[in-house]
Amino acid sequence: NPMMETLGRLTFTNGRTGGPTILDDLVIVRGITSNWGADGAAQDRLYAFDKKSGQLVWTCSPGAPPKDNTFGVPAFGKLGGKQVFYTGSGDGSIVCANARTGETLWRYPISAGGMNASVVLYKDTVIGIHADENLDSSDAGRMTALRVTSTPAKQETGPPLLTKAAEAWRNDLGAISSSPVLVGNRIYQTVKTGQLVCVDADSGKVLWEHKLAPDQLHASPLYADGKLYVPMQNG
């Protein structure tokens, strides 16, 4: 499906975009598009296609005008009997949407830049991280856990918004597009200053950190066989 021609997909330096994700009979892809009608304004959108025929099934426009194109891929779960997905968005929000219809159920603005890392699900929370300026403070970078069952507030325009009461915890870690890895009740994260950090997934408390390199931009830890494999910026 030629997304540039048919959907008005925009291109960016180094081809930054999230990879496709399979959900049953759907393949879900994302990108910043500017097209016609309701999809006219540039926005970070997700598209679901029938994985066999290529037919467009739904379009999701979950946020505000984007600051960034994001590497993030959605995480899938169940909420209120519906199959949903969660993802960071190019407008600096964490969003939740119906995975069968594309309807945005809520969003929670966090960052002044795009949310580039993928999110993880733990118990009743979705956990995301970014490295840009925070919306409610003058510092940069934060890891945030949101209670997914929180009740959003309806807006006159755009998707419903969660309030700060939805936060289960936060800490001041910052990562550009390195995504968290969940093992049991521990989150392992490489941060922009080159440390591997272990976080308690229940409280957000940093349990330990270990300096691995001068800095870190993109690669994420991989967990397998009781070990973490951690590619770093300096090779």
Side-chain angles (χ1 to χ4, degrees):
N1 200 312
M3 293 188 67
M4 291 178 66
E5 290 84 354
T6 61
L7 298 172
R9 186 174 188 166
L10 307 180
T11 58
F12 292 85
T13 305
N14 70 27
R16 179 187 301 180
T17 189
T21 310
I22 299 292
L23 175 67
D24 300 330
D25 55 342
L26 300 176
V27 55
I28 299 172
V29 296
R30 77 180 315 151
I32 294 179
T33 62
S34 178
N35 206 1
W36 301 99
D39 292 343
Q43 200 162 317
D44 179 17
R45 294 186 172 90
L46 294 99
Y47 296 85
F49 300 94
D50 183 287
K51 69 181 183 184
K52 293 184 178 178
S53 70
Q55 186 73 31
L56 181 64
V57 178
W58 55 250
T59 301
C60 178
S61 303
K67 313 288 197 311
D68 204 356
N69 204 23
T70 176
F71 288 103
V73 295
F76 299 100
K78 287 288 181 70
L79 183 64
K82 299 177 181 177
Q83 194 162 34
V84 299
F85 67 83
Y86 305 90
T87 184
S89 184
D91 69 343
S93 300
I94 293 177
V95 301
C96 172
N98 188 316
R100 288 296 167 190
T101 67
E103 176 195 5
T104 305
L105 303 178
W106 54 252
R107 74 181 185 100
Y108 186 65
I110 296 176
S111 170
M115 298 280 291
N116 272 295
S118 297
V119 299
V120 294
L121 299 176
Y122 174 70
K123 293 184 178 177
D124 68 340
T125 62
V126 56
I127 300 161
I129 191 169
H130 73 92
D132 285 290
E133 186 174 343
N134 296 304
L135 294 181
D136 59 3
S137 66
S138 59
D139 56 356
R142 182 175 295 163
M143 179 181 279
T144 307
L146 300 174
R147 299 180 189 89
V148 300
T149 55
S150 301
T151 302
K154 290 185 178 180
Q155 306 298 299
E156 289 188 12
T157 59
L161 289 179
L162 293 185
T163 68
K164 190 176 177 180
E167 288 194 17
W169 53 258
R170 59 166 63 177
N171 61 43
D172 61 0
L173 299 177
I176 296 171
S177 61
S178 179
S179 300
V181 173
L182 182 68
V183 183
N185 65 343
R186 298 289 185 259
I187 299 165
Y188 298 97
Q189 176 75 58
T190 45
V191 297
K192 61 183 180 181
T193 48
Q195 287 96 327
L196 173 66
V197 182
C198 177
V199 176
D200 184 319
D202 289 294
S203 67
K205 181 181 178 182
V206 174
L207 300 177
W208 54 258
E209 57 182 70
H210 181 56
K211 185 78 168 177
L212 294 179
D215 56 6
Q216 176 74 329
L217 295 179
H218 303 307
S220 307
L222 171 71
Y223 175 81
D225 192 29
K227 303 177 184 69
L228 287 166
Y229 298 85
V230 194
M232 300 302 290
Q233 166 85 352
N234 65 350

